[in-house]
Amino acid sequence: MQNLPKKVRSKKLSSRVDLTAMVSVSFLLIIFFMVVGELSKPKVLDLSLPEKYSNKSTNCVISCGGEHSRIITILLDENNKIITYTGLLVVARENPKKIDYSKNGIRKELSQKNNKIIEYSTALGKPKNGAIVIIKPSKKSTFKNLVDILDEMAIAKIDTYAIVNDFSPEESNLLASN
């Protein structure tokens, strides 16, 4: 017999695919998107605002008995201007002051006034009632100014404050004159 050439059979390759690398990449992508999702959540500032109080039979005006008024009004205007006064503008306890956003500016003013109010209320035998701050940002003030003043509220440890956008004609004139 003749030497017949042997048929060369092709080797069958394994049909099994190694998915180890694919699983690793998948886990890395899942972790990446979880971290990105967590970091992209908006940052919020905790506000401790007073509870709403409504008296339907009469219109209430905040009034505080005693020699010192607990109301401090802060007017925010363009170019980082702050004007503050104690009490109501019509019967303000002191002349309005123009103050800046510095450590010795609004922060010192708020801390001093809040401490005076707490001392006075403690002397009357009432619980430690602090200042009530009304923040009034004008249309020309920036969002940064509002955030800065809220930071100052937290630093001065003033818990009772409200953000209001209604200006009286006297307040509008005060902002225009300064």
Side-chain angles (χ1 to χ4, degrees):
M1 248 190 42
Q2 294 179 2
N3 260 347
L4 289 174
K6 286 187 175 179
K7 278 188 173 178
V8 178
R9 290 198 178 222
S10 62
K11 268 190 171 180
K12 280 197 169 185
L13 296 175
S14 172
S15 61
R16 197 165 169 248
V17 177
D18 187 17
L19 295 177
T20 307
M22 182 72 101
V23 170
S24 297
V25 169
S26 299
F27 279 120
L28 285 174
L29 285 172
I30 289 170
I31 292 170
F32 172 76
F33 285 115
M34 286 174 61
V35 169
V36 167
E38 191 64 33
L39 292 177
S40 67
K41 287 183 181 175
K43 306 289 184 267
V44 295
L45 178 68
D46 289 335
L47 294 179
S48 111
L49 297 174
E51 293 180 22
K52 287 188 176 182
Y53 174 78
S54 66
N55 187 345
K56 295 180 183 176
S57 62
T58 60
N59 291 332
C60 294
V61 174
I62 300 173
S63 63
C64 304
E67 182 179 322
H68 302 290
S69 176
R70 290 176 54 200
I71 302 170
I72 302 170
T73 304
I74 298 173
L75 306 174
L76 305 177
D77 201 15
E78 64 183 339
N79 299 328
N80 298 330
K81 281 198 304 187
I82 302 174
I83 298 173
T84 182
Y85 60 89
T86 304
L88 301 174
L89 188 57
V90 181
V91 287
R93 305 269 179 194
E94 57 189 39
N95 290 331
K97 292 182 188 177
K98 187 176 176 183
I99 300 178
D100 60 352
Y101 286 96
S102 69
K103 183 178 175 182
N104 294 323
I106 189 69
R107 184 177 301 172
K108 183 177 178 183
E109 183 79 13
L110 287 172
S111 294
Q112 286 176 346
K113 286 184 179 182
N114 192 36
N115 289 339
K116 274 186 190 177
I117 292 168
I118 290 173
E119 285 174 18
Y120 184 75
S121 67
T122 306
L124 290 177
K126 296 181 181 178
K128 292 184 178 181
N129 292 330
I132 300 170
V133 179
I134 300 172
I135 302 167
K136 294 187 175 187
S138 72
K139 291 179 181 175
K140 296 177 183 176
S141 69
T142 63
F143 184 71
K144 181 186 179 309
N145 294 146
L146 182 61
V147 171
D148 288 344
I149 207 69
L150 292 176
D151 287 342
E152 295 300 331
M153 293 291 122
I155 292 168
K157 296 180 181 159
I158 296 176
D159 295 331
T160 308
Y161 53 89
I163 302 169
V164 181
N165 63 357
D166 294 332
F167 282 86
S168 67
E170 294 87 10
E171 290 170 335
S172 298
N173 293 338
L174 181 63
L175 284 177
S177 67
N178 284 321

